[in-house]
Amino acid sequence: MKRVSPIGKASIGCGPLIQPLSETSRPLRQQIFERVRAAGQMARVQLARELQISPASVTTITSELIEAGLIEEVQTLREGETARGRPAVALRVPPNRRLVVGIKLSDREHTAVLVDFAGNLIAGEAIPRSPGAMALEGILDAAERLLDRVCAKGGVSRDRVEALGLGVPGFVDCDSGVVHWSPILSSRHVPLQDALRARLGRTVFVDNDANLVTLAELWFGAGRRLSDFAVVTIEHGLGMGFVINHRIYRGARGMGMELGHTKVQLDGALCRCGQRGCLEAYVADYALVREAQTALNLPLGEMQSVGVMLESLFDHAKAGNAAARSIFRRAGRYLAVGLSNIVNLFDPALIILSGERMRYDYLYASETLSEMHAMMLDTGRDAPQIETHAWGDLLWAHGAAALALHELTEQLLGPSREMAAQ
């Protein structure tokens, strides 16, 4: 007997909402599963219509997915019907099964989320930390502690977690899981993915934190319906992620889109990566604090006081302090340079400015956007839309969970039985 779940409110789903017939290279099995998960729930007839395949093919593939426990049938009312009408049967990803964890490690705070395979948030956790680089062993300890705490908060054993996504700032080769440089690691070229797999005994995937914010927007946010868009993260550093045809772009070596380390000044300000003249060295919070200490005669403080010093600098600017305003104004101008370069290079439909720093409105003041427009190529067309998302660190962890969901999906949806038999 087939188990059919009772009528309930449809899930909003997660993952890219890909237009019908816009992607035909991926296996049908995977296309069907991802469409069901993205929609929350979907009828077989709609799947056949969107993919332009026969109902019999849909029935065969969905039966296999149901048998594997990847989707299930759920009763739902047709549009316009009442509870007394005969319910239709739709498909959905079973909630509370196949759990993944997303973790973001940063200078100020470590965060984690526990998410099921349908994209539902089960629990979230945050642990403050003292800034500064850590040895690999300390990073592994922090990740394991977060995993245990978020699982305990969600009321599940960590043995139920099938995959873990991890994000760190810096230069990360996503394919190998090697972190070539990160401000939170005291060493370079660290095989973080392999080390964490050995420590936790779980499947682990590692990526740059800006890519994770982009994945969060692609899977849960404003980018779900867009085929191409950019995300610029402005916080402790300056990062960028880019989506092309509903897929995040990482470059040939997995480390592309390092907007913060494009050069805007020869022999310019020192960046935390060790080079000079990087865009980040003029826009990131440590860059602003460095200038504020001199311009406003602020006392030299520990790294953990950066947030407080930024608040003080912003308060001075709002109160009319000319030196504070000039610091923010210059950062906004450099940001305009970076944004105009994105437009001229990639012509995205949308640029999302993301991060806690977006509450400082100088970053998207009219002067900044006007300068961006002035530096764009004059093609006679409208500039791309700009949105600001002042999310907290849990968004980054959600992106890490999306990384785990994507990679686990790739592993689970291998060749179908028909293909394997050939």
Side-chain angles (χ1 to χ4, degrees):
M1 177 184 296
K2 292 190 296 183
R3 182 180 295 275
V4 180
S5 299
I7 297 172
K9 186 177 180 180
S11 168
I12 60 172
C14 73
L17 290 164
I18 300 174
Q19 294 299 310
L21 300 179
S22 62
E23 184 183 56
T24 58
S25 60
R26 295 167 72 78
L28 270 176
R29 194 166 180 259
Q30 192 156 348
Q31 291 185 57
I32 286 174
F33 174 82
E34 290 178 343
R35 285 180 184 277
V36 170
R37 179 165 60 186
Q41 63 183 43
M42 183 176 285
R44 289 179 175 86
V45 64
Q46 186 176 352
L47 283 167
R49 182 167 58 247
E50 289 194 4
L51 296 172
Q52 287 199 356
I53 59 177
S54 70
S57 296
V58 171
T59 298
T60 298
I61 295 173
T62 56
S63 295
E64 182 181 332
L65 293 172
I66 290 171
E67 184 179 337
L70 295 172
I71 61 175
E72 68 179 5
E73 293 182 329
V74 57
Q75 293 178 344
T76 180
L77 295 178
R78 296 184 178 90
E79 187 176 354
E81 290 184 335
T82 67
R84 297 183 62 184
R86 183 175 179 179
V89 174
L91 302 166
R92 71 174 183 183
V93 177
N96 299 316
R97 294 191 201 168
R98 297 191 180 276
L99 306 179
V100 304
V101 165
I103 291 178
K104 159 73 184 303
L105 303 179
S106 72
D107 288 329
R108 318 278 173 75
E109 186 179 48
H110 300 323
T111 55
V113 293
L114 177 66
V115 174
D116 68 21
F117 208 43
N120 299 310
L121 175 65
I122 298 172
E125 185 63 285
I127 300 176
R129 61 156 293 203
S130 298
M134 302 171 65
L136 174 60
E137 198 66 20
I139 292 291
L140 298 180
D141 290 342
E144 185 169 24
R145 181 184 175 203
L146 259 178
L147 173 62
D148 288 337
R149 286 184 58 162
V150 78
C151 286
K153 196 168 184 179
V156 302
S157 165
R158 96 177 193 186
D159 292 337
R160 287 194 58 198
V161 176
E162 295 195 35
L164 185 144
L166 179 75
V168 296
F171 308 147
V172 182
D173 184 336
C174 184
D175 289 337
S176 67
V178 173
V179 180
H180 292 286
W181 170 81
S182 174
I184 70 169
L185 273 166
S186 56
S187 301
R188 289 178 177 257
H189 313 298
V190 176
L192 183 56
Q193 180 173 284
D194 289 344
L196 198 54
R197 282 178 175 174
R199 167 68 75 90
L200 302 178
R202 309 248 71 80
T203 300
V204 177
F205 307 99
V206 179
D207 205 350
N208 167 272
D209 57 359
N211 284 342
L212 298 186
V213 176
T214 308
L215 282 171
E217 295 287 2
L218 177 64
W219 278 66
F220 304 104
R224 294 189 66 200
R225 295 183 180 276
L226 297 175
S227 63
D228 305 271
F229 66 94
V231 174
V232 175
T233 60
I234 308 167
E235 284 200 325
H236 323 309
L238 179 70
M240 175 179 168
F242 201 87
V243 169
I244 300 175
N245 192 24
H246 306 284
R247 297 282 182 263
I248 193 163
Y249 178 79
R250 294 187 174 90
R253 295 178 298 162
M255 295 181 292
M257 298 300 163
E258 286 291 347
L259 176 69
H261 301 283
T262 56
K263 303 302 181 280
V264 294
Q265 182 70 53
L266 290 174
D267 302 318
L270 180 65
C271 179
R272 61 179 180 171
C273 75
Q275 297 191 357
R276 290 187 175 274
C278 297
L279 178 60
E280 178 180 295
Y282 297 91
V283 178
D285 55 6
Y286 68 86
L288 271 65
V289 167
R290 181 168 55 195
E291 291 195 46
Q293 288 173 333
T294 301
L296 302 180
N297 295 316
L298 297 175
L300 295 176
E302 299 292 330
M303 281 297 291
Q304 62 261 30
S305 66
V306 165
V308 174
M309 295 176 74
L310 270 179
E311 291 289 350
S312 175
L313 181 64
F314 193 54
D315 288 343
H316 276 86
K318 288 190 295 184
N321 184 294
R325 285 188 171 184
S326 69
I327 292 172
F328 281 123
R329 175 72 182 124
R330 187 170 84 139
R333 295 193 69 188
Y334 273 107
L335 177 61
V337 170
L339 295 179
S340 65
N341 286 338
I342 294 172
V343 175
N344 292 338
L345 283 168
F346 303 109
D347 189 26
L350 170 69
I351 298 177
I352 299 172
L353 305 180
S354 184
E356 188 179 359
R357 283 268 305 280
M358 296 319 303
R359 56 199 169 91
Y360 298 143
D361 55 5
Y362 76 92
L363 286 168
Y364 50 96
S366 57
E367 294 89 346
T368 297
L369 297 183
S370 293
E371 290 208 45
M372 180 197 80
H373 291 156
M375 287 182 280
M376 287 168 42
L377 294 174
D378 185 5
T379 62
R381 296 179 298 167
D382 292 337
Q385 183 180 355
I386 306 288
E387 290 187 9
T388 59
H389 295 176
W391 305 117
D393 266 4
L394 276 185
L395 176 78
W396 307 66
H398 261 95
L403 173 67
L405 287 172
H406 171 76
E407 297 294 343
L408 184 58
T409 300
E410 296 281 330
Q411 291 183 1
L412 291 172
L413 293 175
S416 65
R417 286 189 300 235
E418 291 77 4
M419 293 179 63
Q422 293 178 357

